[in-house]
Amino acid sequence: MIRRAYARLLLATSFAVALAACATKPPPTPAPTPEPVPASQSTAPAPSVLPVPPQLRDISVARAAFVSETAAKYGIAPLQIEAMLARAQIRDSIIAAMSKPAEAKPWRNYRPIFLTEQRITGGQAFLATHRDALAKVEAQYGVPAEIIVAILAVETNLGGNTGKYPVIDALYTLAFNYPRTGDPAKLARENAREAFFRDELGQLFALGKETGFDIGTLTGSYAGAMGWGQFMPSSYRAYAVDGNSDGKRDLFNSLDDVFASVANYFVQKGGWVRGAPVMANADFMPVSSTPGGNTPIELEGPPIHTLDALAQAGFKAREPLPAGITAAAIRLEGEGGDEYWLTFQNFRAIWMYNNSIRYATAVYQLAEEIAGRGPAVSPGPIPPPPVAAPAGQSGA
């Protein structure tokens, strides 16, 4: 009974995490760390910063500007936009969901959410059922079938949970009532996020015009991501393709379109390289302190370092790699201590789907399990390297 309850809890958690991940989600910008106040200057506890109640915000000016700009940009009648917005609702549940800070779980806790027996066996059965269609897409785009299946398993449990929020409500809420903390240090980021969702709301109207969808009936995640692969409206417009040549791009009901669109996203947005590796286990030897010793490199950066440069920094892959390939090094907090990996452009392509090294690693390792290649190798505890801080990536 306890095991079943734990399994249900783990599955529910994985759904919540997966539906917050989508293509393309804006990369998070870390908030500045406030300077500590010396005890001698502090005479009373600082007041808590409370969210600004959304019902107190006047959105009439911004809403009118949105209608005018969207009508002009996409050639849609203003009255049509107004009529659709009149059906949209500001939902407190969406604001609450977006207000919750993302948990930066260590890899040892994040991995079990997605690499479950249910996802592995379910993915293998799904791959077997749709092998021909997936093989066709793999041949065309170069993205392995198991990677596509792993994405769908992580995002929506193979279509089992594509989200229940009206997309128009999700985007309307976040476009005009993105949650505010009242913290001046976070204002710029909150403004940028609201602008992102306002653009996505406009893109939703354009998507409706292009596809004939009644956008008032579409459902998805609380962030407005849709379909089996959880595409935002801009990604739907840019990367969704007609995989079965029926004249439609349907990511809700057509698996041919879903498979081809996920692969197309990897190629066009992520720069997927046919036949190239994704990531490789690596050993790390601490940088020498002697003159002429190894040069530290940045962790989690772009895959621009040669294998020789990585070796000089103390990182050596545990398997043969193609000559001339470039890579980046990452560190994950594993069960037995820190794990080190070399990651390549195809890892970056998965990362582009959701801005997280843990997400990309989970997708790759789940794909390996689905393909029947067994669990990834995990190194034991190794001393941490003296490396520079990551540049602009949280790795959450």
Side-chain angles (χ1 to χ4, degrees):
M1 180 66 71
I2 293 175
R3 289 183 178 177
R4 289 198 296 271
Y6 176 74
R8 289 194 295 270
L9 175 61
L10 196 59
L11 187 60
T13 303
S14 69
F15 284 164
V17 174
L19 286 176
C22 52
T24 303
K25 189 178 181 179
T29 304
T33 302
E35 292 293 329
V37 178
S40 61
Q41 299 179 20
S42 178
T43 58
S48 299
V49 177
L50 299 176
V52 179
Q55 64 270 21
L56 298 183
R57 295 172 58 191
D58 183 1
I59 67 171
S60 57
V61 174
R63 190 178 184 278
F66 169 82
V67 171
S68 176
E69 292 166 5
T70 301
K73 186 174 183 179
Y74 299 117
I76 303 172
L79 288 178
Q80 182 181 344
I81 299 172
E82 286 281 10
M84 184 58 66
L85 293 183
R87 296 166 55 184
Q89 300 179 37
I90 300 293
R91 292 181 178 260
D92 290 340
S93 59
I94 292 172
I95 296 172
M98 188 60 71
S99 298
K100 295 176 182 177
E103 291 184 352
K105 295 178 182 291
W107 173 241
R108 60 181 173 271
N109 299 129
Y110 187 94
R111 187 180 191 275
I113 295 174
F114 296 106
L115 275 90
T116 65
E117 188 66 23
Q118 183 267 341
R119 288 189 197 275
I120 294 168
T121 57
Q124 290 171 338
F126 187 88
L127 177 59
T129 300
H130 301 285
R131 188 175 301 278
D132 291 345
L134 286 162
K136 177 182 175 182
V137 170
E138 180 174 345
Q140 180 177 355
Y141 293 94
V143 180
E146 62 268 20
I147 293 285
I148 297 172
V149 174
I151 283 285
L152 301 178
V154 167
E155 289 290 339
T156 61
N157 197 29
L158 299 173
N161 184 18
T162 58
K164 303 299 183 184
Y165 288 95
V167 172
I168 187 72
D169 289 358
L171 295 177
Y172 183 70
T173 298
L174 298 173
F176 297 106
N177 278 270
Y178 187 85
R180 305 301 175 120
T181 61
D183 183 350
K186 298 179 180 179
L187 180 60
R189 178 184 181 277
E190 291 165 354
N191 285 343
R193 293 280 283 173
E194 187 167 272
F196 167 82
F197 286 107
R198 196 168 299 174
D199 179 71
E200 290 293 335
L201 180 60
Q203 299 263 6
L204 181 66
F205 278 94
L207 179 66
K209 178 181 178 182
E210 293 165 358
T211 63
F213 288 148
D214 178 356
I215 61 175
T217 65
L218 301 180
T219 57
S221 75
Y222 67 80
M226 300 173 285
W228 281 61
Q230 293 291 277
F231 277 38
M232 295 296 286
S234 60
S235 292
Y236 203 126
R237 296 185 65 221
Y239 305 113
V241 294
D242 178 7
N244 56 5
S245 302
D246 67 351
K248 302 175 183 178
R249 298 179 299 156
D250 183 358
L251 303 189
F252 299 91
N253 304 297
S254 171
L255 286 180
D256 289 328
D257 292 0
V258 170
F259 298 157
S261 297
V262 171
N264 186 58
Y265 184 95
F266 276 130
V267 173
Q268 299 299 327
K269 176 74 172 181
W272 184 273
V273 180
R274 182 187 295 266
V278 176
M279 61 194 304
N281 244 164
D283 290 314
F284 172 75
M285 297 300 294
V287 175
S288 172
S289 60
T290 60
N294 299 339
T295 303
I297 64 168
E298 172 188 83
L299 283 180
E300 302 178 18
I304 59 175
H305 304 288
T306 65
L307 297 181
D308 285 344
L310 288 160
Q312 285 297 312
F315 299 96
K316 185 176 181 181
R318 294 183 173 185
E319 60 189 72
L321 294 171
I325 196 169
T326 57
I330 65 171
R331 179 174 62 220
L332 296 170
E333 300 142 305
E335 285 284 353
D338 285 341
E339 302 176 12
Y340 295 98
W341 299 80
L342 299 187
T343 63
F344 311 100
Q345 179 58 41
N346 286 348
F347 180 87
R348 201 74 177 184
I350 302 174
W351 191 345
M352 293 289 285
Y353 209 95
N354 182 279
N355 192 57
S356 164
I357 64 169
R358 293 174 180 84
Y359 175 92
T361 305
V363 167
Y364 170 69
Q365 292 193 4
L366 179 59
E368 290 292 285
E369 293 278 5
I370 290 171
R373 288 188 282 267
V377 177
S378 298
I382 305 176
V387 294
Q393 296 290 354
S394 67

